[in-house]
Amino acid sequence: GHLLSVYFFSMERWLVLVLLPVVFCQTIYNTQYFISLQGKKADPCHIGLTADNPDCTANELPWAAVTVWTPSNAARLLNANAPVGQFFEGTGYKFSLLGRNLGTADRQVRLSTQAGRCSAIDNTINPLTATVDTGSDNNKPNADNPGTRLTFSPDITWLSSNLEIEETPRAICVSSIDNNNAWVYTGFKYKVVWPCESNFGAAPAANARACPPPSTGSDTKLTGRDADFSSSFDQFSDDIRRVRSQRTICCPSAGGGIGQCINPNTQTCCGAAPVEKKNQRCCQQGTELVQWNDAACPCTRSTSTTACPAGETCCLPSKYASLNHDDQMGECYNPSTHQCCDTGSRFDPGSSQCCVINGLQSLNIPCPCASDSHCRGNIGDTSDDGDFKCCRQTNPVPWEAAFETTKGAGTSICDINANYPSGTGPYHAQPCLGKCYNSKYQLCCNGVSCISSYERCCNTTCCDKYQGTCQKGRRPGAPGQWNNPLDYDVEFEVCSVIEQMNTVKAFWVFVWPAELMGGTFVALAIALGFASHANKYATAKYKNIERLIIAIATLASLFAIPLFFAPLYKYGTLIVLTSVVAIVTAASRVRWLNVFCVLLHGLLVLYILDPFHANILFNFSSMRTPNGNTDPDSMGILHVTRKMWRKLSDQPIAGSAESSTTVILQDASSTAINANQRYFAEVSYLGQTQTTGFATGERGYVAFNQKLNFQGLPRGPISLTIFTITNLDPATAQPHRSSWTRLASASGSGTGQLELKTVWEMPTGIVLGTVKAYVANAFDGAPSPPTDWCTSYFGFFKFDSVTRDERIYNPLVPTFGYCSRGWVMALFLFEGGIFIFVLTQFVLTLVGLVVRFKEPWSPVHLEARY
C-alpha cells in the first residue's frame, strides 16, 4: 500500500509537469492581447489584463517605445501638407491596432486622463469606433476566427492643443469584449506633439516646421496669421514657455511621419521618439524602439542582422529547432558583457548561468542533471566543459530513480524537453536527481558537492578536514526504542568533530605526556648516576636507610608516570621532583638539604592528600570554579581522579545554569525554586521542588518554614546553606557576596526531602514580605558542574553519540583511552602505590634527618680526576 501511494504520488507529479505547458498554452491562446500599432510593439505588461484589472502595475518598456504621435490642432493653419494634412483635410488617416482574440463585434477606443491609467477615462475626448476584422476590410470575424485587427481614425478632440502641453502621454484604452463601458489598457500610449521635419532644422526661424515650437503669440512662425489664433499661444505659463523654448532639435519620423521637437540637453532621437539620456537608449531607429539602459533590445530571426544596436548580436532560441520561425523573438546582447542562452535570452555570466535542462537560473544554484552531458556548455563557454560533471546519489540509489526513466526504455525524462516549449523552469521543479559541479575545486559526495581543498566526503556529508574526521560507526535506530530492529548493525560513515584529532589535541594526548615521561627518566638517570658515583668514591658507604630512601624514591617516580597520561600531571611532576631531591639528599648527606627534603615531602603529602579539604583558606585545591571559588573536586589527587570517574552525560539538563546555582525566593507567595540547578557536582539531576510554606512573622523578623522535595537526590548526605541578600548587582542581577548573611542550614540523608525551619532577623534595607534567600551548597560557593571534565581537558577520548547504536554499545560508557573507566581504575591503583611510597619516604626522610644530626657530619665530596 505504501509503495502504491508513493507510485501514484510520483505519477501525479510527472502529470503536473507534463500538463502544465498545455494549460499554459491554452490560456495564452484564448487571451486577448495586442501586438502592434503603427509599427510600434505593445508593452508586454498588458497581456492578461481584464475589466476588473485594467492597468499594468509596472510598465516593462519606456513610454516612448509604445507611444504613437499625432500633430497638434494648432498646426492646422500652418501645416496643410502631408502627412500633417491627412489629420485635418478629411483624407481618412487610420490607426491599425493588430492583436489576437479581439472578438467579433466593433469596439470602442478612448484615451485615459493625464494620469495615464485606463481606470480613469477622459470624457472630454470623444470615443472612437474601432472596426474589427481579421486583417482585411472584407474578412469579417466569427466565433471560430476572432478578430485580429482594430481600425479607427482620430477626430479633432484627439488632436487638441491642450494635449500637446502635457509632458507625459495618455493610455489608449479599448472597451472590454463583454462590456463596452469597461476599459482595458492596450499596451500603447498616445501623445500630441508639434510636428517638425529635420530638413527644416537649419531653415529660417519663420518656417512653421522648424524647432522650437511657438510659445508666444509674437513668435515669427505665426507672422501674418489670424490674431485670435496667434493670441492663443499667449495663454502658456512662463514654465511652459521655457520648456518649449528648449526643444530646439527635431526628431523626424521614418517614412515622412510626424516628427517632434526635443531638448538636446536631456534627450536624443530614436526616429521621432525622444530618448531620455539618463536611463534609456535607442534600439531601432526605424521602429522607434526605446529601451531601458539595463534591459535587452528585442530582435527576431528575420531581423537578427539589422535589429540590434552597433556592437550587439541577436540571441535567438535554439533549444527546440522545430519551433524556429522568422518572427521568433530574441534579445540583443553585447558579447563583452553578456552571453546568450539557448532559450533566446541574454544573461550576465557574473550572476546567472544557462542550464541545459531548465535554462536561466542563479549562478549560486547548481544546474540539474542526469548525466555529465547536461553540465556542459551551461554558461556559454565550452572551454571548461571537461571540468563540469553530474553529481548523483549512488549509495543507496534513491527510489525516485525508477521514475526518471518512465519516458521510455533507456530514455531519461530529465532532458531538454522537460520544460517544453519555453525551455525554462524553476530548478526545484525539475525531474532530475543530479546536480552539476566543477571538478576543479569540488568533489562529489554521494549527491552533495563539497570543496575539495578543505573538505572530505563522509557518506553524504562534507566534512571539514581541519575540524572533523570521517568516523565509521553503527547507525542508531529509533532513539529509545530498543525493540525496533531498523538499521541494526549497519555500518556507515559520519563527520565527527568530537572524535577528530588535530595538532593541539595531539600535543596534549601524545607529546606532553611523552615529554614529562622523558623528563622523568632523564632526571632519574642523573640523580641515580650521581648516587652511584657518590657511593663509589665516598669514604663511608651508604647506610641501609639511605639505600631505602633511594629505592622508594625511584619507585614513587615510576608509579607517578601514569599521572602524566591524565589531567593529573601537576601531582606527577611534584612527586618526581620530590623523589629526585630525596635521591640527591640521601647521596650527598648534606644537613641543610635533609631539612629541605623533609619540608618538601611534608608539602607533597599535604598536596596529594589535602587533609583540610573543606577549609577555604588552607585547602590545596588545584583548580577553580567558574565563579572563582576553589573547586572542592580538585582538593587532593583522589578527588581529581574521582572527577574523571563521574558518569558523563551526552545531553545537558534543560534549563541548568552550569556557571551559577543561584535560587532566589522572591516573597511569601513564591514557589519558584529552579528544579534544574546543580547544587553538588556529584548530583547529575535534581527534579521538581515544591514549597509547602513561606510565611512572615512579627515586624523585624521573618519565619522560614519550608520543605523542599527533590526527585533523584544522591544517596549520600546533602546539606544546604541559606543566605539573605541585601542587594543585587544591577548589571548581572546576581547577588553580591558581600551582602550575604548566613542564617540557617539544613541537611538530608538521601530520603528525597529536605526540611528547613528557622527564624531570623531581617537585614537592614529589606522590607518585610520581600526577603530574598540564596540557597547554596555546604562549600560556600558553586562547585564546578558535572560536565565531561576529562574529555574537555584533552579535547578527545569521547565517543560521538551519532556513531553509537545503543542496541550494540553501552550508552553509559561514552569514553575511551585516557578517560575510560578502566584507565581511571588503573590510576586509582597506581595512586595507592604512590600513597604508600610517599608516606614511607616522608617517614624515612624524617628519620634520616634525625640520624644525620646524631652522627658526625661527613658530606660526600666528589672529585674530578684526569
Side-chain angles (χ1 to χ4, degrees):
H2 173 70
L3 292 177
L4 285 176
S5 64
V6 170
Y7 175 80
F8 285 114
F9 172 78
S10 302
M11 287 297 98
E12 180 180 325
R13 180 185 176 191
W14 300 123
L15 285 174
V16 169
L17 292 174
V18 171
L19 293 179
L20 184 60
V22 177
V23 175
F24 173 78
C25 294
Q26 186 72 17
T27 302
I28 289 296
Y29 294 151
N30 291 333
T31 300
Q32 168 187 276
Y33 63 96
F34 299 95
I35 300 174
S36 66
L37 176 62
Q38 305 304 99
K40 296 291 186 73
K41 299 296 184 181
D43 194 326
C45 73
H46 82 281
I47 298 177
L49 296 179
T50 63
D52 296 328
N53 182 30
D55 296 294
C56 293
T57 55
N59 296 324
E60 295 184 21
L61 295 175
W63 63 262
V66 296
T67 302
V68 292
W69 323 101
T70 59
S72 168
N73 189 35
R76 179 177 183 180
L77 299 177
L78 306 179
N79 301 288
N81 60 312
V84 176
Q86 296 181 18
F87 288 90
F88 308 108
E89 303 303 327
T91 57
Y93 192 88
K94 293 182 178 180
F95 284 166
S96 293
L97 180 58
L98 303 181
R100 295 289 185 271
N101 303 311
L102 303 184
T104 59
D106 293 346
R107 313 280 288 277
Q108 295 290 312
V109 179
R110 302 200 66 167
L111 291 181
S112 69
T113 61
Q114 192 173 353
R117 302 184 66 81
C118 291
S119 56
I121 298 299
D122 189 346
N123 293 321
T124 64
I125 301 176
N126 295 335
L128 304 178
T129 299
T131 303
V132 61
D133 56 44
T134 58
S136 61
D137 295 339
N138 298 322
N139 194 356
K140 297 299 181 180
N142 53 54
D144 297 329
N145 188 23
T148 59
R149 184 177 68 171
L150 294 177
T151 305
F152 59 95
S153 299
D155 67 6
I156 195 65
T157 61
W158 283 57
L159 309 173
S160 170
S161 299
N162 293 330
L163 299 181
E164 180 199 351
I165 302 173
E166 297 174 0
E167 290 296 321
T168 56
R170 299 193 178 201
I172 298 178
C173 309
V174 67
S175 61
S176 172
I177 294 178
D178 302 323
N179 185 358
N180 267 341
N181 294 319
W183 310 94
V184 179
Y185 178 48
T186 60
F188 296 100
K189 293 185 181 291
Y190 178 85
K191 182 73 173 71
V192 175
V193 299
W194 184 267
C196 70
E197 287 188 0
S198 60
N199 59 329
F200 290 105
N207 192 297
R209 303 293 295 279
C211 293
S215 56
T216 64
S218 60
D219 193 292
T220 55
K221 297 181 181 64
L222 306 178
T223 302
R225 300 301 177 182
D226 181 81
D228 292 338
F229 173 72
S230 300
S231 64
S232 64
F233 290 90
D234 291 329
Q235 299 177 10
F236 294 149
S237 67
D238 290 341
D239 290 339
I240 293 177
R241 288 193 183 98
R242 287 178 171 81
V243 170
R244 291 170 67 90
S245 66
Q246 297 300 312
R247 298 172 180 168
T248 59
I249 298 297
C250 180
C251 289
S253 177
I258 303 300
Q260 62 176 304
C261 300
I262 65 166
N263 184 347
N265 295 319
T266 61
Q267 298 172 315
T268 185
C269 295
C270 186
V275 180
E276 300 296 332
K277 293 181 178 180
K278 62 181 179 181
N279 58 4
Q280 298 173 3
R281 63 184 178 130
C282 180
C283 291
Q284 298 175 17
Q285 290 281 348
T287 59
E288 299 179 358
L289 180 56
V290 180
Q291 185 58 281
W292 305 108
N293 278 335
D294 57 352
C297 292
C299 57
T300 64
R301 192 171 298 277
S302 60
T303 62
S304 60
T305 59
T306 59
C308 295
E312 296 191 5
T313 304
C314 184
C315 176
L316 292 170
S318 58
K319 198 167 193 175
Y320 309 116
S322 60
L323 299 181
N324 293 349
H325 56 86
D326 288 344
D327 293 332
Q328 195 172 22
M329 296 295 297
E331 293 182 350
C332 299
Y333 73 100
N334 187 338
S336 63
T337 58
H338 291 80
Q339 293 180 359
C340 177
C341 185
D342 58 5
T343 58
S345 299
R346 70 167 191 172
F347 67 96
D348 181 358
S351 60
S352 303
Q353 60 183 329
C354 179
C355 298
V356 172
I357 301 298
N358 62 321
L360 291 181
Q361 72 175 36
S362 171
L363 201 58
N364 298 326
I365 302 171
C367 290
C369 63
S371 64
D372 291 347
S373 61
H374 294 158
C375 300
R376 294 171 182 169
N378 283 337
I379 59 172
D381 181 7
T382 59
S383 61
D384 58 356
D385 279 355
D387 298 325
F388 284 89
K389 298 179 180 179
C390 186
C391 182
R392 295 169 56 91
Q393 180 179 332
T394 57
N395 185 25
V397 176
W399 62 268
E400 296 93 340
F403 302 100
E404 202 177 22
T405 58
T406 56
K407 188 176 179 180
T411 304
S412 173
I413 200 171
C414 176
D415 58 17
I416 62 171
N417 296 309
N419 298 280
Y420 185 90
S422 67
T424 300
Y427 71 93
H428 52 76
Q430 302 308 306
C432 305
L433 300 180
K435 298 177 181 178
C436 296
Y437 72 100
N438 191 333
S439 60
K440 275 187 175 180
Y441 65 94
Q442 292 176 308
L443 57 90
C444 180
C445 187
N446 200 19
V448 179
S449 298
C450 305
I451 305 299
S452 57
S453 61
Y454 60 86
E455 290 179 331
R456 59 169 60 93
C457 178
C458 296
N459 196 10
T460 58
T461 303
C462 297
C463 189
D464 194 301
K465 295 179 181 178
Y466 304 99
Q467 295 184 354
T469 184
C470 287
Q471 186 68 30
K472 287 188 177 181
R474 295 295 188 272
R475 187 183 301 277
Q481 304 298 326
W482 294 353
N483 294 323
N484 191 329
L486 179 66
D487 286 338
Y488 176 75
D489 202 21
V490 175
E491 188 179 73
F492 77 113
E493 279 189 333
V494 65
C495 179
S496 175
V497 177
I498 296 176
E499 297 189 37
Q500 185 256 357
M501 174 64 72
N502 55 33
T503 305
V504 176
K505 294 178 183 179
F507 174 81
W508 291 107
V509 172
F510 302 112
V511 179
W512 180 243
E515 288 180 347
L516 294 177
M517 182 173 62
T520 299
F521 287 129
V522 171
L524 282 176
I526 294 174
L528 293 175
F530 170 78
S532 175
H533 195 75
N535 184 52
K536 181 177 180 180
Y537 295 102
T539 55
K541 301 301 180 181
Y542 288 150
K543 294 183 172 60
N544 291 332
I545 191 172
E546 292 170 340
R547 292 189 178 92
L548 196 56
I549 290 175
I550 293 174
I552 292 179
T554 303
L555 290 175
S557 298
L558 296 177
F559 269 66
I561 290 177
L563 303 183
F564 300 150
F565 297 86
L568 306 169
Y569 68 92
K570 298 178 183 178
Y571 297 97
T573 303
L574 186 58
I575 291 170
V576 171
L577 176 62
T578 305
S579 299
V580 170
V581 171
I583 295 174
V584 174
T585 300
S588 63
R589 301 172 181 174
V590 178
R591 288 181 177 178
W592 69 265
L593 193 56
N594 275 81
V595 175
F596 175 74
C597 184
V598 170
L599 295 177
L600 187 60
H601 275 77
L603 180 63
L604 176 62
V605 170
L606 293 176
Y607 185 55
I608 64 175
L609 293 179
D610 197 1
F612 309 107
H613 179 84
N615 194 300
I616 195 172
L617 297 178
F618 299 106
N619 70 82
F620 286 83
S621 173
S622 59
M623 287 180 287
R624 292 291 183 267
T625 62
N627 58 14
N629 296 327
T630 55
D631 187 354
D633 294 325
S634 64
M635 296 177 181
I637 190 172
L638 291 178
H639 286 87
V640 179
T641 309
R642 181 171 175 266
K643 193 173 186 176
M644 297 174 59
W645 176 268
R646 282 203 192 93
K647 174 185 174 182
L648 306 178
S649 175
D650 288 337
Q651 300 295 332
I653 297 176
S656 63
E658 296 185 349
S659 62
S660 173
T661 58
T662 304
V663 178
I664 297 179
L665 309 180
Q666 296 290 350
D667 51 35
S669 62
S670 171
T671 60
I673 294 181
N674 192 335
N676 292 320
Q677 297 292 353
R678 295 167 173 175
Y679 299 96
F680 289 88
E682 307 90 77
V683 182
S684 62
Y685 180 73
L686 291 180
Q688 297 293 328
T689 63
Q690 298 177 348
T691 303
T692 59
F694 189 92
T696 57
E698 299 178 0
R699 181 177 178 82
Y701 292 86
V702 172
F704 185 80
N705 184 356
Q706 186 170 11
K707 186 177 294 183
L708 306 179
N709 295 311
F710 295 94
Q711 296 176 2
L713 277 174
R715 295 181 180 179
I718 183 173
S719 61
L720 300 179
T721 303
I722 301 176
F723 300 86
T724 59
I725 303 171
T726 56
N727 62 315
L728 297 177
D729 188 338
T732 63
Q734 296 297 318
H736 288 294
R737 285 291 301 269
S738 60
S739 66
W740 297 0
T741 303
R742 180 166 179 154
L743 299 174
S745 62
S747 61
S749 59
T751 61
Q753 186 180 90
L754 288 180
E755 187 171 359
L756 306 178
K757 292 183 178 180
T758 187
V759 177
W760 67 83
E761 186 175 359
M762 289 174 17
T764 305
I766 296 294
V767 181
L768 186 64
T770 60
V771 174
K772 299 178 180 180
Y774 172 77
V775 182
N777 56 55
F779 302 117
D780 194 17
S784 58
T787 56
D788 301 346
W789 179 69
C790 178
T791 57
S792 298
Y793 171 81
F794 288 107
F796 199 61
F797 299 124
K798 181 178 180 180
F799 290 119
D800 196 333
S801 60
V802 298
T803 65
R804 312 281 286 178
D805 188 346
E806 293 184 358
R807 296 167 297 183
I808 301 175
Y809 303 105
N810 188 347
L812 299 182
V813 183
T815 57
F816 63 97
Y818 297 169
C819 297
S820 66
R821 290 296 179 89
W823 179 241
V824 174
M825 191 62 224
L827 290 177
F828 276 123
L829 297 178
F830 281 109
E831 288 164 6
I834 289 173
F835 285 151
I836 295 174
F837 295 139
V838 169
L839 291 175
T840 302
Q841 191 169 294
F842 176 63
V843 173
L844 291 176
T845 54
L846 191 59
V847 173
L849 178 63
V850 174
V851 172
R852 190 72 62 214
F853 277 93
K854 285 183 62 177
E855 295 181 352
W857 187 28
S858 57
V860 174
H861 295 281
L862 300 180
E863 297 179 358
R865 298 183 179 182
Y866 299 95

